[in-house]
Amino acid sequence: MGAGQSSEHGASSPEELSSVLAERFATKCFTPLEFTHFKDNFFSRALEQGGLKYWNEKVLSDFLGIPDSTYTSSQAQPLDAGPVIFRMVSYLGAFPFQNTLAPSVLTFEAMVKVVVLLTDRYGKALKRGHKDRIKLLFGSLADVGRKTPAEHNGESTTKESEGAAGNSHALGFSIDEPANDEYDEDEDDDLALAALESLDAIEVFKHDHRVDKTVYETRISINTFRRLLMLLLVIAPLKPMESLKVYTSGLDDRRMDLVKKEADSIIAAFSPEERDSGISYKGFARTISLSLPYLFDPLTALFEHMLFSKNLNLSQRRQNGLATESEHESKENEEPPSPPAALTLPGSFESAILNPTINSHLSFFLPSTSPDINILRSDVKLHPVFSTSAHGSSLTYFSHHVLTWQSASLLILQGSLADSSSEELVTLGAYIPQPWKTSISTSGLSSKTTDLLPCLFLLSPKHMLLPGNPSPSATKPNTPTAYFSPNTGIAIGCKIPAPSRTHQTYPSPQGAGSLLIDANIETAEFYAAPFGHNGVFLPAANTRPEDAPTKIKLDLYTLEIWGMVPDPDASFSADPSLSPVEIQRAKWEFEAREAERRRNINIKAGAGDPATQSARWLLEAAGIIRDEAQYAGGGG
């Protein structure tokens, strides 16, 4: 497969070493079956010029199913990410010699490296490889003055970097622009070093590559990033074997407006300077790694399509293992598969907040049952637990539904700014990995019960993620993750004062972030500070120490609680026929029956009545009613 072999230090050219690395990637990172599918996908569609087989932008976009601007020409904001994806792939195909060889022609060897890097498989082939692709992804998007890839048939095989205006493909920011202050001249590209070290070719790398300073001295244009974000928001639920048309067909103006609005909320996570002049490496690396860790996961599923060929018919024995041309054409003309199952399960209400676009945004940072996978790439579903639209604003109903939910939950709310004429919706929420409790003495996080940390987040009009504090000192009994009291309302990440017999005490913000909802569920106060490590939540990645704290007071429209079900079809009880949802429904029905029993017991009749006192004592012992002398509250 390779064009040459690695020899002694400095004896091989970057082109030869790049080819040898692609061969190693192919043998180490793909199974034989995957490699067979990959070869069929590539060579059955490859163009040829002068004996060189390659893909251009149209072939790549057609295979992946990425719509171009004409696909959604009726829309004010087309989903035109094909040039951005091609630009990224052309950069990654030159790995680890992006400084010399990028952008590369998409030959077979180049596409092998692209798929390995974007599907996160390189750890099997590199001695010091790790899962941090941020440098490579930034370089693939940065507006660096690059040469145009080799041209075939007299036509360019790429659309060059987009500028900040419209569909212009002018070169981006010049390398003569001021350099980023945070650039470290001694910083090495660990992934590239690992690649060359595995080939015993470090000297070639040091002589020819080093870290490409021009990448760190330039920026990603907002237009480029927005076009990629819009694609990622649309295809976030994509599974490796699913057709992209399931998500890209039927994108009407309303859906595209929602997608663009959500993309702009994510862009707002970057500083005003970066939104004006382009995203710097430091801002990109910090925001993506800490605030949007799963943002590029859809690309993994997208490029895993390369490892499955519709041409191969493994159900029949053929000499070459390929289906006939007529079979291939019939498969190409197949109706697209049915839309995938929704993230939410049917229940007592339908969400007034969640929609496919917001679900995609959540998947960019919200884990499932493991921190290694996001909520959309797992079997986790959201079960409706409580909604003010369906159940009203009574904390009694809130208590009945929420305190009996026995797994992680998602709180999400929408409202408008209080005392403001603006009608812009604000969407925020919290992920609570443990059940809500009935006593603050058992609140707080425990590493023995979950590996996941809570988070507090703002989705719009600006993305902000306040991660959970892993420090044990932050999980004090009087600082629960989530707290409920019929007297003071709902508190997330707050300090709970000791009860007083003389006056009502209220939760107060603690640490870097908190959320307070009043007892009538009519108003909410969101607080986020760029400092504070003594609470449940840490400062957001996109805040600076000199920034003023963010304080938002909302008039609430809707509050929803969604229970996270790891696998709705599984069972985890003595009765294997019961699913988690059925178990939960049984608990709610039991609570309803017990509530009816309480109505039939006159617990206030005759203080000296032994029968009444005995009945009350039994209800208190069972936890069905509380001792009035105790402070009513709960945390999780």
Side-chain angles (χ1 to χ4, degrees):
M1 174 175 139
Q5 295 297 322
S6 174
S7 59
E8 295 299 322
H9 297 301
S12 296
S13 67
E15 290 83 357
E16 291 174 322
L17 288 170
S18 180
S19 180
V20 173
L21 181 64
E23 183 173 358
R24 176 166 297 185
F25 273 3
T27 57
K28 295 286 187 180
C29 303
F30 298 145
T31 67
L33 182 59
E34 287 174 337
F35 193 45
T36 298
H37 281 260
F38 180 90
K39 288 192 293 185
D40 180 72
N41 277 325
F42 181 86
F43 288 111
S44 64
R45 295 167 175 81
L47 306 175
E48 183 175 359
Q49 178 69 23
L52 180 68
K53 292 184 180 294
Y54 68 97
W55 280 19
N56 62 11
E57 180 185 327
K58 185 178 187 306
V59 173
L60 179 70
S61 294
D62 288 348
F63 172 76
L64 296 177
I66 301 173
D68 57 23
S69 57
T70 60
Y71 187 89
T72 55
S73 58
S74 64
Q75 297 161 0
Q77 181 66 46
L79 189 64
D80 185 22
V84 179
I85 296 296
F86 184 74
R87 166 207 189 113
M88 296 178 69
V89 169
S90 299
Y91 179 87
L92 297 175
F95 177 81
F97 293 101
Q98 296 95 316
N99 190 30
T100 301
L101 303 181
S104 69
V105 178
L106 298 187
T107 61
F108 181 70
E109 287 82 2
M111 285 301 294
V112 165
K113 290 185 288 183
V114 166
V115 174
V116 168
L117 291 171
L118 287 181
T119 59
D120 207 12
R121 295 165 180 255
Y122 47 79
K124 297 179 181 179
L126 304 182
K127 293 179 182 178
R128 298 193 299 117
H130 55 76
K131 294 185 178 181
D132 183 6
R133 299 178 294 173
I134 291 177
K135 292 177 186 176
L136 281 173
L137 292 169
F138 177 83
S140 70
L141 291 167
D143 288 318
V144 181
R146 306 172 187 166
K147 60 181 181 293
T148 301
E151 298 181 0
H152 301 278
N153 298 326
E155 296 181 0
S156 172
T157 62
T158 184
K159 293 180 181 180
E160 192 48 61
S161 307
E162 305 93 81
N167 293 323
S168 172
H169 297 293
L171 292 179
F173 298 94
S174 168
I175 60 173
D176 295 326
E177 292 290 327
N180 294 340
D181 294 335
E182 68 279 0
Y183 172 68
D184 182 357
E185 293 185 3
D186 295 326
E187 183 178 16
D188 288 327
D189 187 335
D190 293 339
L191 195 55
L193 278 175
L196 274 298
E197 185 180 81
S198 69
L199 299 177
D200 193 25
I202 294 295
E203 293 302 320
V204 177
F205 175 78
K206 289 182 177 179
H207 175 74
D208 183 71
H209 193 74
R210 289 283 297 175
V211 174
D212 184 2
K213 293 185 180 181
T214 60
V215 171
Y216 294 88
E217 292 169 350
T218 53
R219 298 172 178 251
I220 300 173
S221 74
I222 294 300
N223 181 61
T224 297
F225 195 52
R226 179 184 289 109
R227 292 166 74 179
L228 178 62
L229 279 177
M230 291 179 67
L231 175 68
L232 297 178
L233 284 164
V234 169
I235 69 170
L238 181 71
K239 301 297 190 297
M241 295 297 105
E242 281 186 312
S243 169
L244 209 69
K245 291 183 179 179
V246 173
Y247 304 98
T248 58
S249 60
L251 294 174
D252 55 19
D253 289 349
R254 180 178 178 276
R255 175 70 194 281
M256 291 306 298
D257 286 342
L258 291 174
V259 170
K260 182 179 182 298
K261 180 180 179 181
E262 212 68 29
D264 287 341
S265 294
I266 295 174
I267 291 172
F270 296 89
S271 67
E273 295 82 2
E274 292 185 315
R275 297 199 296 272
D276 291 338
S277 59
I279 301 170
S280 68
Y281 170 69
K282 182 178 180 180
F284 181 84
R286 182 171 179 80
T287 301
I288 299 303
S289 61
L290 299 178
S291 190
L292 296 160
Y294 309 120
L295 178 65
F296 293 100
D297 280 10
L299 295 182
T300 297
L302 181 62
F303 279 86
E304 282 181 350
H305 282 68
M306 289 291 299
L307 305 179
F308 176 78
S309 172
K310 293 182 179 180
N311 295 352
L312 293 179
N313 187 344
L314 301 181
S315 64
Q316 300 182 26
R317 293 178 178 271
R318 291 189 175 89
Q319 185 175 0
N320 58 3
L322 296 180
T324 63
E325 186 65 26
S326 60
E327 288 173 333
H328 171 64
E329 291 178 358
S330 66
K331 289 182 180 181
E332 291 293 331
N333 294 328
E334 285 179 355
E335 291 294 325
S338 301
L343 176 63
T344 57
L345 295 171
S348 58
F349 64 89
E350 293 185 0
S351 181
I353 302 176
L354 299 178
N355 58 50
T357 307
I358 288 181
N359 294 345
S360 294
H361 190 166
L362 288 171
S363 75
F364 294 159
F365 63 87
L366 196 63
S368 59
T369 55
S370 165
D372 296 328
I373 184 171
N374 74 57
I375 191 172
L376 286 184
R377 299 198 72 196
S378 67
D379 294 326
V380 169
K381 299 295 183 182
L382 298 180
H383 186 272
V385 174
F386 174 82
S387 168
T388 53
S389 298
H391 304 113
S393 299
S394 167
L395 285 182
T396 300
Y397 283 104
F398 180 91
S399 173
H400 165 65
H401 287 82
V402 176
L403 296 186
T404 54
W405 183 259
Q406 295 302 304
S407 67
S409 59
L410 177 70
L411 179 151
I412 192 163
L413 59 85
Q414 266 185 350
S416 62
L417 294 175
D419 303 324
S420 173
S421 58
S422 174
E423 297 182 356
E424 183 178 29
L425 284 178
V426 177
T427 307
L428 55 87
Y431 165 65
I432 304 165
Q434 290 181 323
W436 294 64
K437 301 297 183 181
T438 56
S439 171
I440 62 172
S441 63
T442 59
S443 65
L445 292 171
S446 172
S447 59
K448 295 181 180 180
T449 58
T450 179
D451 293 328
L452 300 174
L453 294 172
C455 65
L456 185 63
F457 56 84
L458 180 65
L459 293 183
S460 63
K462 171 184 177 179
H463 173 87
M464 180 183 292
L465 175 68
L466 287 82
N469 191 345
S471 173
S473 63
T475 59
K476 300 175 182 178
N478 66 339
T479 312
T481 301
Y483 172 86
F484 159 75
S485 166
N487 297 320
T488 60
I490 304 165
I492 308 294
C494 294
K495 183 177 181 179
I496 311 302
S500 172
R501 293 183 179 274
T502 59
H503 63 280
Q504 179 65 59
T505 58
Y506 291 88
S508 59
Q510 178 77 5
S514 63
L515 174 64
L516 282 164
I517 302 170
D518 74 312
N520 297 318
I521 317 183
E522 294 179 347
T523 63
E525 294 184 18
F526 173 81
Y527 173 81
F531 47 80
H533 290 72
N534 60 338
V536 175
F537 303 106
L538 295 175
N542 51 328
T543 56
R544 298 170 295 184
E546 63 271 19
D547 292 340
T550 299
K551 297 180 181 180
I552 300 175
K553 187 171 183 180
L554 298 177
D555 290 328
L556 277 185
Y557 295 158
T558 306
L559 167 69
E560 297 176 355
I561 304 289
W562 293 85
M564 300 185 73
V565 183
D567 185 353
D569 298 323
S571 62
F572 59 94
S573 69
D575 184 355
S577 65
L578 294 179
S579 71
V581 173
E582 290 170 332
I583 294 173
Q584 187 61 50
R585 287 173 180 165
K587 289 183 178 181
W588 282 333
E589 291 172 0
F590 172 79
E591 285 282 318
R593 290 195 300 269
E594 292 305 319
E596 184 64 26
R597 283 183 57 193
R598 289 197 295 270
R599 294 190 190 97
N600 296 329
I601 298 177
N602 185 8
I603 61 176
K604 293 183 179 180
D609 185 356
T612 300
Q613 292 180 359
S614 176
R616 180 180 179 85
W617 181 86
L618 287 172
L619 291 175
E620 289 176 353
I624 297 172
I625 65 173
R626 295 189 181 97
D627 183 350
E628 292 179 351
Q630 294 180 349
Y631 183 75

